[in-house]
Amino acid sequence: MSSSKTIRRLAVSSPVPADIDIANSVEPLLISEIAESLGLRPEHYDLYGKYKAKVLLSVLDELKKSEDGYYVVVGGITPTPLGEGKSTTTVGLCQALGAFLDKKVVTCIRQPSQGPTFGIKGGAAGGGYSQVIPMDEFNLHLTGDIHAITAANNLLAAAVDTRIFHEASQSDKALFNRLCPPNKQGERSFADIMFRRLKKLGISKTNPDDLTPEEVKRFVRLDIDPDSITWRRVMDINDRFLRKITVGKGPEEKGMVRETGFDISVASEIMAVLALTTSLSDMRERLGRMVIGNSKSGEPITADDLGIGGALTVLMKDAIHPTLMQTLEGTPVLVHAGPFANIAHGNSSIVADKIAIKLVGKGGFVITEAGFGADIGTEKFMNIKSRYSGLTPQCAIVVATIRALKMHGGGPEVVAGRPLDHAYLNENVSLVEAGCVNLVRHITNTKLYGVNVVVAINKFATDTDAEMNAVRNAALAAGAFDAVVCTHHAHGGKGAVDLGLAVQRACESHSKPLKFLYPLDLSIKEKIEAIAKSYGATGAEYSEQAEKQIEVYNKQGFSDLPICMAKTQYSFSHIPAKKGAPEGFVLPIRDVRASIGAGFIYPLVGTMSTMPGLPTRPCFFDIDIDIASGKVLGLS
């Protein structure tokens, strides 16, 4: 059971104060107390100050014989640009289970990027009286994982350009002499990592001097095709002017100019690798097999071909451990990884979930969140994350708001930064009922995986009983296990107790095996079309570029990977303005790319921006520090 020492009762105010004011009003418990409540001993974690700790993966070895707790994923309906409160619901549910229902519970959520924090969306620690604290540390540097990813990503980018530069300016012999220099005795040796490339080339020799001139050439020349390079540099802020850049313009680079660009750090494949890895050794292999582009003969060039997989792992060796934090009511949180929910799978890490599910034990609960609507986040959770983790969820939550359902029912456009139209602030049951087609499709799709579906109706002050009853009736008619109104934003865990009870019942009554949407042995196109049909499409159509890339990946042996669809989060279709539950459209596949180290193929539906821009009035206008107390002000 939960340790009573870690449970805190909140004194709530109405109207609800600003998120940062609530967060600053609560003194966090020492993280050692949170760790103790989970049964963790000091040797199981490294402290990062008073309120954060890294939980070491070695805990898994000790707990491997422990029984698993219940596993719950939180998704949502297709959101408005304002978001519908999935993170807040995730945190509020955990506060209800731990602080009010006396269950052992761990929240597993992604680490937010600093891009949205200083840009347009603000932080991602939850909201109101359902937050992770310290909120400023959660939203900013945390324990440096994203910085480690940035460093590793950019080291690999530098290695790519440098290798092309040196190969262009040196003979085979000169390259060989530098890659395998003779020692004082005149003897050469291969670095350990070089044996990976030799094995790939089918060369079994262990003495560099035994290589033939042809073998030397194959070994030293990666012959990277600059036009095929997909690896870009990253940084963890929004900067639209770095979306496309030209590199190599210095006089010493001898005219080796090419166009490239920056992505935001959370869009790096290394972030996706961190989220999907299962151990340090698995991470080493995944980092090593990341593909940066092709040779001029069409062979995939990997990080290990460049000799850098080991160095990348060294930069990531601390980032692999999840960070332990707490909610406002003292329940434990594991924060780990934050992959982009469009081009990547948008879920927190497998290792955090694996640790949590053992720590809570039989009868306990692990609540993890999936990015965006259930058509993106939950689908990728099931078909990618659960496939690699081997963990089976018993329950999936679909978070819904009256606001979003009205939009899907034909309400006016919702735009971030603009006041809501009166339609969203006054009762309109018919608009809600019309919009429930979106909720129904999410419920129907999620049930296909064999889980019990609970709808969480995230109540806003302007929502009426009649509107919420309409949602509940539609959800139950669609086959939801239950549909529950929640007020966790205004009341903390107390406002999600009914949701906690519904989730408990859903988990206890679950008996079906996990089902995937597609088997991996289907072709790339068959897997794409299985997902497209879940959106309501009749099928998919492929651009010339997409057809070309599918052919390349088939030849390179990557066709058995799962699919990670990159499409807008604002519609089931590829057109953000098409709300509700559109049907009968054909999904256009503009391009198909691969994250081989992470382990998925990602088709691009439309244009996906991997480097957000700053708005006219970014969030940073409101962020400052109280010089007297040192507290952060203005985070939201």
Side-chain angles (χ1 to χ4, degrees):
M1 305 298 280
S2 303
S3 169
S4 59
K5 290 192 299 181
T6 67
I7 300 305
R8 179 192 294 111
R9 288 287 181 263
L10 297 174
V12 301
S13 299
S14 182
V16 178
D19 290 351
I20 189 65
D21 293 336
I22 294 173
N24 284 340
S25 72
V26 175
E27 182 66 25
L29 298 161
L30 294 176
I31 201 64
S32 55
E33 292 183 44
I34 303 295
E36 185 182 351
S37 74
L38 284 171
L40 292 168
R41 300 190 299 274
E43 63 267 27
H44 293 148
Y45 57 88
D46 290 335
L47 292 171
Y48 279 65
K50 294 186 291 184
Y51 307 126
K52 305 187 299 290
K54 283 278 195 179
V55 179
L56 305 178
L57 262 60
S58 56
V59 169
L60 279 173
D61 292 330
E62 286 193 34
L63 296 174
K64 60 186 175 184
K65 293 183 180 178
S66 300
E67 290 193 63
D68 291 354
Y70 293 121
Y71 193 33
V72 180
V73 60
V74 180
I77 62 171
T78 305
T80 70
L82 306 179
E84 310 316 308
K86 282 198 317 299
S87 297
T88 306
T89 301
T90 302
V91 175
L93 169 60
C94 291
Q95 291 181 169
L97 287 166
F100 289 87
L101 299 176
D102 204 24
K103 300 296 180 183
K104 206 165 184 183
V105 63
V106 174
T107 314
C108 291
I109 52 176
R110 291 183 292 169
Q111 179 183 349
S113 165
Q114 289 180 169
T117 298
F118 291 109
I120 196 168
K121 288 181 69 177
Y129 288 99
S130 295
Q131 293 188 56
V132 179
I133 55 172
M135 185 252 229
D136 56 337
E137 295 182 31
F138 176 88
N139 282 309
L140 299 175
H141 306 286
L142 199 61
T143 47
D145 293 357
I146 294 181
H147 300 316
I149 288 162
T150 303
N153 184 101
N154 292 345
L155 178 63
L156 179 51
V160 171
D161 286 318
T162 298
R163 186 60 176 261
I164 295 172
F165 170 78
H166 287 306
E167 286 189 23
S169 58
Q170 296 179 48
S171 66
D172 295 347
K173 183 178 180 181
L175 285 167
F176 191 56
N177 285 337
R178 286 173 171 82
L179 288 169
C180 300
N183 61 19
K184 291 180 180 179
Q185 290 74 41
E187 298 171 340
R188 301 177 190 272
S189 62
F190 291 118
D192 286 346
I193 198 170
M194 292 177 176
F195 288 108
R196 293 175 179 248
R197 174 152 179 81
L198 290 166
K199 182 179 180 181
K200 178 179 176 179
L201 296 172
I203 299 171
S204 58
K205 297 172 182 177
T206 58
N207 185 343
D209 291 324
D210 291 342
L211 267 60
T212 67
E214 177 58 30
E215 289 171 335
V216 167
K217 181 183 180 70
R218 292 172 61 213
F219 170 68
V220 302
R221 292 206 176 274
L222 302 182
D223 201 25
I224 298 168
D225 178 0
D227 292 335
S228 76
I229 295 171
T230 55
W231 199 264
R232 291 153 57 96
R233 288 160 175 83
V234 300
M235 63 193 310
D236 195 37
I237 59 169
N238 294 356
D239 192 342
R240 67 178 70 243
F241 284 91
L242 292 178
R243 289 170 179 168
K244 183 173 282 191
I245 63 168
T246 302
V247 296
K249 298 192 76 170
E252 296 183 358
E253 280 64 63
K254 302 175 183 176
M256 297 189 65
V257 175
R258 71 179 183 91
E259 278 197 349
T260 180
F262 274 76
D263 296 329
I264 198 161
S265 295
V266 291
S268 170
E269 184 177 349
I270 296 177
M271 175 63 90
V273 166
L274 177 65
L276 289 171
T277 196
T278 54
S279 65
L280 183 62
S281 61
D282 179 61
M283 184 172 74
R284 169 64 186 88
E285 295 306 312
R286 288 176 182 270
L287 291 173
R289 65 175 180 255
M290 293 187 304
V291 172
I292 58 88
N294 299 327
S295 70
K296 290 173 183 174
S297 63
E299 294 301 313
I301 302 299
T302 68
D304 273 345
D305 287 327
L306 286 154
I308 202 170
L312 300 181
T313 308
V314 168
L315 284 171
M316 293 292 295
K317 70 179 179 64
D318 295 323
I320 196 172
H321 305 295
T323 300
L324 180 65
M325 295 187 75
Q326 63 190 283
T327 68
L328 285 169
E329 297 188 74
T331 61
V333 180
L334 286 177
V335 186
H336 202 213
F340 231 52
N342 277 337
I343 65 165
H345 62 294
N347 283 260
S348 60
S349 78
I350 285 174
V351 292
D353 290 2
K354 280 180 169 284
I355 289 170
I357 213 163
K358 293 295 185 184
L359 286 174
V360 299
K362 185 177 181 180
F365 292 84
V366 173
I367 314 296
T368 188
E369 180 193 352
F372 293 147
D375 56 318
I376 296 181
T378 304
E379 183 269 309
K380 293 174 182 179
F381 172 89
M382 299 294 185
N383 291 306
I384 300 175
K385 182 178 178 180
S386 293
R387 207 186 286 267
Y388 283 125
S389 72
L391 299 176
T392 298
Q394 290 79 35
C395 175
I397 295 171
V398 178
V399 178
T401 60
I402 300 299
R403 175 179 68 196
L405 291 169
K406 285 180 175 179
M407 179 191 71
H408 288 295
E413 185 180 8
V414 176
V415 180
R418 290 188 200 166
L420 284 170
D421 187 272
H422 70 89
Y424 297 104
L425 305 175
N426 295 281
E427 182 175 282
N428 190 326
V429 176
S430 61
L431 205 58
V432 173
E433 289 174 337
C436 280
V437 293
N438 184 270
L439 172 63
V440 166
R441 182 173 291 171
H442 283 296
I443 293 169
T444 303
N445 284 353
T446 305
K447 285 185 67 180
L448 293 175
Y449 301 109
V451 294
N452 286 331
V453 177
V454 173
V455 173
I457 307 168
N458 186 15
K459 184 180 186 300
F460 293 178
T462 53
D463 300 338
T464 69
D465 289 345
E467 290 172 330
M468 289 180 290
N469 285 336
V471 179
R472 176 173 165 78
N473 292 337
L476 295 176
F481 181 88
D482 205 346
V484 183
V485 175
C486 315
T487 60
H488 42 275
H489 182 273
H491 303 118
K494 185 177 180 180
V497 167
D498 288 344
L499 177 63
L501 291 170
V503 167
Q504 182 179 346
R505 291 193 302 270
C507 288
E508 290 172 349
S509 65
H510 177 263
S511 58
K512 296 178 181 177
L514 176 62
K515 300 174 185 174
F516 299 120
L517 195 57
Y518 52 81
L520 291 180
D521 58 4
L522 290 183
S523 69
I524 291 174
K525 282 189 174 181
E526 287 172 323
K527 286 180 281 197
I528 289 172
E529 285 167 27
I531 297 171
K533 287 175 181 176
S534 77
Y535 299 155
T538 56
E541 61 183 7
Y542 303 86
S543 70
E544 185 178 339
Q545 173 65 15
E547 294 277 12
K548 176 185 170 185
Q549 285 303 118
I550 289 171
E551 185 178 347
V552 167
Y553 296 138
N554 285 333
K555 286 180 179 177
Q556 293 177 341
F558 301 141
S559 63
D560 62 345
L561 293 174
I563 299 298
C564 186
M565 201 76 86
K567 81 166 183 73
T568 178
Q569 67 269 34
Y570 295 124
S571 173
F572 272 111
S573 75
H574 54 290
I575 302 171
K578 283 195 173 183
K579 305 303 181 184
E583 291 183 320
F585 58 93
V586 177
L587 197 71
I589 307 300
R590 180 175 63 85
D591 198 358
V592 178
R593 299 178 188 169
S595 291
I596 302 304
F600 52 74
I601 302 287
Y602 62 99
L604 297 175
V605 183
T607 302
M608 292 293 118
S609 175
T610 52
M611 171 54 84
L614 290 171
T616 305
R617 191 190 187 285
C619 293
F620 61 61
F621 273 89
D622 301 311
I623 297 172
D624 212 323
I625 193 162
D626 185 315
I627 302 300
S629 68
K631 288 187 175 181
V632 173
L633 306 172
L635 271 177
S636 62

